Amino acid sequence: MKLGFFLALILMLSACQPIELTSTFPPTGTPNEPTKSPSPTPKTISTATPTVNTPLPTPGINPFEICSPLEEETIETLSLILVNPLNIPGFGQDTGHHGVDFAYFRRGERESIQGIEIYAILPGKTITSLAEGFPYGNAIIIETPLSQLPPELQQLLLEGYLPVPDDPHYRLDCPPTDPPPITDEYSVYHLYAHMESQPPFNTGEIITCGMKLGTVGNSGDSTNPHLHLETRLGPSGAQFSSMAHYENTCTIEEMANYCLWRMSGYYQLFDPFLLFEFESQLP
């Protein structure tokens, strides 16, 4: 009887084995949506600003420019008010005329050039600012490195530079002075004289083309208001703390600087109209 009971129990357990079924419904999600793959592990996004290796811009070449030295005058009209042209003397001499003079008595609504603003014709730096003295009166000298000028203009100016004499045979009372060091570097020096007042610039101060330097006056050795403009080519790095001559009040240093500047042959005159004509030919 027990044997029969166990056989019946075995038959019942074998009939109860699970049946594997395949479902036609999505296991999860919205009905009729395709089954999605498990989401990947999210990436960490940096909030730091990315480093971009941007190349530095190539410095541009500033266009060369020569500015008119006088208010309301252009490069083209300067010749109309030229009253005294350049007359270059020989080395050691203080004759001739060391520059060009601009003046007028009536021009448009103006009755005189007195008080007209004076502008720098080239960029550079101040060499000296002179107070009332003989012959320049109130004046300023500015240095422009020759290397800042276009190559064609550099060559033109250097072609006119004569050998510096060992002894200029001064025809004037010139105290001995040390000559400037001779190097391969030259500068254009431009002097503006006979201003109404001393230009308010310190030595070494940067000057831009067209910057106001002062106003036309009648100081120094001047009989009528005018702008006296000198342009010279000479060794770079000139230093003139002061400059004067022909008066008993002049110091030894002032007279030595005057002779070095005007007669020694180191700082040689050239016509500023070379610059103005070059500017008029620029595109």
Side-chain angles (χ1 to χ4, degrees), residues 63-82:
F64 176 72
E65 181 183 15
I66 299 173
C67 301
S68 171
L70 288 167
E71 178 186 1
E72 297 182 354
E73 299 295 337
T74 65
I75 296 295
E76 291 72 24
T77 64
L78 288 174
S79 61
L80 302 177
I81 59 172
L82 175 65

Side-chain angles (χ1 to χ4, degrees), residues 158-208:
L158 286 172
E159 287 175 351
Y161 192 82
L162 302 176
V164 178
D166 294 331
D167 183 359
H169 300 291
Y170 291 117
R171 278 75 158 178
L172 188 66
D173 182 16
C174 292
T177 183
D178 293 330
I182 300 300
T183 67
D184 293 333
E185 296 182 359
Y186 291 86
S187 290
V188 170
Y189 296 91
H190 27 123
L191 178 149
Y192 310 75
H194 309 310
M195 295 184 180
E196 285 188 306
S197 59
Q198 182 181 8
F201 297 93
N202 298 317
T203 300
E205 192 163 344
I206 299 300
I207 302 296
T208 58

Side-chain angles (χ1 to χ4, degrees), residues 84-106:
N84 198 357
L86 175 69
N87 182 8
I88 302 177
F91 295 139
Q93 302 182 38
D94 202 27
T95 55
H97 186 236
H98 294 236
V100 296
D101 292 345
F102 298 107
Y104 56 79
F105 296 101
R106 290 188 181 275

